[in-house]
Amino acid sequence: MAVSVDPRSSSRGPSRRSERPRITCDDPARRDLLCGGGAAALSLLLGGLLGDASPALAEAVAGPVPELDAVAVRIVTDSYQFAVAPGRKLDGLSVEHFGWGIAPDRPPGRTLVSEFGLSMHVTSRRGEETRRTLVDFGFTPEALNNNLSLLGVQPSEIDALVLSHGHYDHFGGLAGFLGQARGQLRPGLPFHVGGEDCFCARTWTAPPVKGDFGVIDREALKAANLAVTSTERPALVADHGFTSGQIDQRSFETLLSPSAMKLGFAHGSGCYPGGQAQDEGGQGLIPDQFRHEIATAFNLKGHGLVILTSCSHRGVVNAIRQAQAVSGIEKVHAVIGGFHLAPYPPDYVRQTIATLKEIGPDFVVPLHCTGETFYEIAKTEMPKALVRAYTGTRLVFNGSAT
């Protein structure tokens, strides 16, 4: 199911529609809030979140996904950086690094901030049409707002926001970003999530430190007049990209759940218990299965898919297979993001790399939670495909006949 994103015209202005969001369910047999008997409750949920916003119905992926002339992915926030790392040009890819936060007319001041979180900014082009999408928001607003400013990302130019899943290292900077960008973001800006459980409060239960892992500030979404869009099923993002929809577990990959989520609503935030599968009803803590996690992908003309996996709790291979199935495109040009392999033993990492070699992406860019074991093994197993990127790195992919 997909609910409410921006209008389907090429105009960058807000929609003039005044009706409440419409809800559709393409699978009435589903047992959760988004389909079956839960549509009325979801309508109330969105109405309360969006206030006077008037988003249009999202266009689900049906038929060929858009074909793009160029895709540039900027790593806004990641775990670390190298100011003196040299850029390089590969066949079909230009790798550009940020360097220092310095200028000819002033002494050094701010520079990029790295933290254990992830945020990526995508600029895509189709003919004369350009779209800009911000995927995830890192751990802190201080890092996110600082880095967006230094990298020249203008909030007023953003066409869509995507949150891959409900972990704090991906949404921690969101409320602070929305607050600082107030008055700059387009009214009714699409904000894509993978399901109601994205909004559940969470507790981190894995080593080395256990504790409160935060909850999304729904009041901040309302104040920013975002068009909150649940894309359980694949849906277009700003007319150029597409979300994977919820990711099936169809490969050898196993899910390690480092967090638990609390069902229920308190102090204006949380998730509705009716939004979860019936066998998980109630108000207590339950292991996080990441059913809401989504990847974001783009179809580059003549080259195939550029897939942003974000964190891959349900498996990087599963995320790739989902994007392939959604788009009908087998060729994978690049896989970028966290592969969530740091907690796994070396043999499991080797099996993942062996499967990636079978899939055959032209470029593999590990970030965030992937772990050093993956990088060390991949240097030997797939040296031509492996690309190192850091906070501030810009990866520019050009399609054919541009």
Side-chain angles (χ1 to χ4, degrees), residues 30 32 136 163-171 193-206 213-214 231-232 244-249 254-263 275-277 280 286-295 309-316 318-319 322 338-340 343-344 368-369:
R30 290 184 64 88
D32 50 27
D136 289 346
L163 178 60
S164 62
H165 65 296
H167 267 178
Y168 197 86
D169 50 329
H170 293 256
F171 76 78
V193 297
E196 171 65 12
D197 53 327
C198 188
F199 294 101
C200 295
R202 282 176 164 79
T203 297
W204 189 262
T205 58
F213 210 50
T231 57
E232 281 200 319
S244 62
Q246 294 184 348
I247 297 168
D248 292 334
Q249 290 190 278
T254 58
L255 187 152
L256 295 179
S257 185
S259 60
M261 58 185 187
K262 181 175 177 59
L263 306 184
Q276 319 308 321
E280 294 178 357
I286 60 173
D288 209 333
Q289 299 299 310
F290 302 99
R291 292 190 179 96
H292 66 285
E293 186 165 350
I294 54 176
T309 63
S310 287
C311 219
S312 307
H313 286 97
R314 294 180 72 83
V316 59
N318 287 328
Q322 187 80 15
F339 304 161
H340 208 263
Y344 290 84
H368 185 46
C369 54

Side-chain angles (χ1 to χ4, degrees), residues 115-186:
E115 62 186 14
F116 191 75
L118 186 64
S119 177
M120 297 176 282
H121 179 267
V122 183
T123 302
S124 53
R125 180 174 60 82
R126 180 172 58 177
E128 299 299 316
E129 181 182 81
T130 299
R131 293 287 185 266
R132 296 172 178 86
T133 302
L134 184 60
V135 179
D136 289 346
F137 308 91
F139 197 90
T140 66
E142 291 79 12
L144 180 64
N145 289 331
N146 175 78
N147 293 358
L148 289 173
S149 174
L150 287 170
L151 296 171
V153 176
Q154 302 298 323
S156 61
E157 295 181 343
I158 294 174
D159 296 289
L161 306 174
V162 179
L163 178 60
S164 62
H165 65 296
H167 267 178
Y168 197 86
D169 50 329
H170 293 256
F171 76 78
L174 174 61
F177 162 71
L178 295 176
Q180 181 159 305
R182 185 169 298 176
Q184 302 176 61
L185 298 173
R186 290 193 293 117

Side-chain angles (χ1 to χ4, degrees), residues 324-336:
Q324 289 174 316
V326 167
S327 63
I329 298 169
E330 287 297 312
K331 176 59 182 171
V332 177
H333 191 45
V335 183
I336 306 167

Side-chain angles (χ1 to χ4, degrees), residues 1 3 21 23 25 32-49 196 218 265 271-276:
M1 175 196 165
V3 183
I23 309 299
C25 289
D32 50 27
L33 175 68
L34 298 178
C35 287
L42 180 59
S43 181
L44 292 173
L45 181 157
L46 289 176
L49 271 175
E196 171 65 12
R218 299 184 92 142
F265 211 81
C271 59
Y272 289 87
Q276 319 308 321

